[in-house]
Amino acid sequence: MPKLTDTQSLILSAASQRPDNLAMPLPKGLHGAAAKKVVTMMIGRGWLEEVDANLRKGEPLWRETGDGHGTTLVVTDAGLLAIGIEPAVVKTMAAIRTHAAQPPAPKPPTPRTGTKQAQIITLLQRPEGATIAEIVVATGWQAHSARGMISGALKKKLGLPVTSEKVDGRGTVHRLNAS
């Protein structure tokens, strides 16, 4: 292991704990010419690397490039090895942190049994389908409520493939396609 100064160790250790191994922000009190000297030496040894900063993610800037963009500093695999950390371990830990930070996937909604919603689903699953008038008779609802249930709860909320077609002598017939 190479001999590191306290400042170099502090920069590399802190960066190994951050997402994407960002070396920024630098330790408190390290700025100006001293920061430039330390960072330039660490880049020269291959421990740090300048990369384009993703301003949308809020990555801190090391320097501005003059074209409206900036760079930030990241620790390289050589930098991690310099402080005795295997790069694969850091990448695994970063993946675990990223995965743990993501909210769990929402469970898909399921229709409840024994409700008027379930009655409507049963009517729509018949081969002949159902008209709004038939749904109104079965549920005791008004026509606008039945239409709202089909478009809102069944189609949008539950994501069911309900289709509608005009049938001579019956009017608009709604069906729940079994896909």
Side-chain angles (χ1 to χ4, degrees):
M1 242 172 30
K3 181 96 168 110
L4 300 170
T5 66
D6 291 342
T7 303
Q8 292 168 340
S9 291
L10 187 60
I11 291 170
L12 294 174
S13 296
S16 71
Q17 302 296 316
R18 294 187 186 121
D20 301 327
N21 294 338
L22 287 177
M24 298 296 295
L26 295 174
K28 216 173 199 138
L30 183 63
H31 45 77
K36 185 174 182 180
K37 182 178 179 181
V38 170
V39 168
T40 302
M41 183 178 42
M42 292 177 78
I43 290 172
R45 292 189 177 163
W47 297 339
L48 291 179
E49 182 180 22
E50 270 190 277
V51 296
D52 289 332
N54 187 342
L55 300 177
R56 292 177 192 228
K57 286 171 86 176
E59 289 179 351
L61 290 178
W62 162 241
R63 67 183 180 89
E64 291 185 21
T65 57
D67 58 355
H69 295 86
T71 62
T72 191
L73 300 170
V74 294
V75 177
T76 63
D77 289 349
L80 294 172
L81 288 171
I83 57 172
I85 297 176
E86 286 292 323
V89 172
V90 173
K91 289 180 177 123
T92 302
M93 291 306 294
I96 290 170
R97 274 189 235 119
T98 302
H99 180 70
Q102 294 175 350
K107 69 175 194 176
T110 54
R112 298 179 306 163
T113 58
T115 62
K116 290 188 179 184
Q117 177 177 317
Q119 286 178 330
I120 293 172
I121 290 172
T122 303
L123 288 171
L124 296 176
Q125 287 175 331
R126 300 181 308 180
E128 67 272 15
T131 64
I132 294 296
E134 294 167 347
I135 293 171
V136 166
V137 169
T139 60
W141 289 352
Q142 294 189 11
H144 69 276
S145 299
R147 285 189 296 274
M149 168 63 84
I150 290 171
S151 85
L154 301 184
K155 285 184 173 180
K156 292 178 184 172
K157 196 171 186 181
L158 295 177
L160 298 176
V162 179
T163 60
S164 304
E165 68 174 311
K166 294 221 183 226
V167 175
D168 289 336
R170 269 185 92 195
T172 302
V173 175
H174 304 278
R175 288 188 180 87
L176 180 55
N177 297 332
S179 336

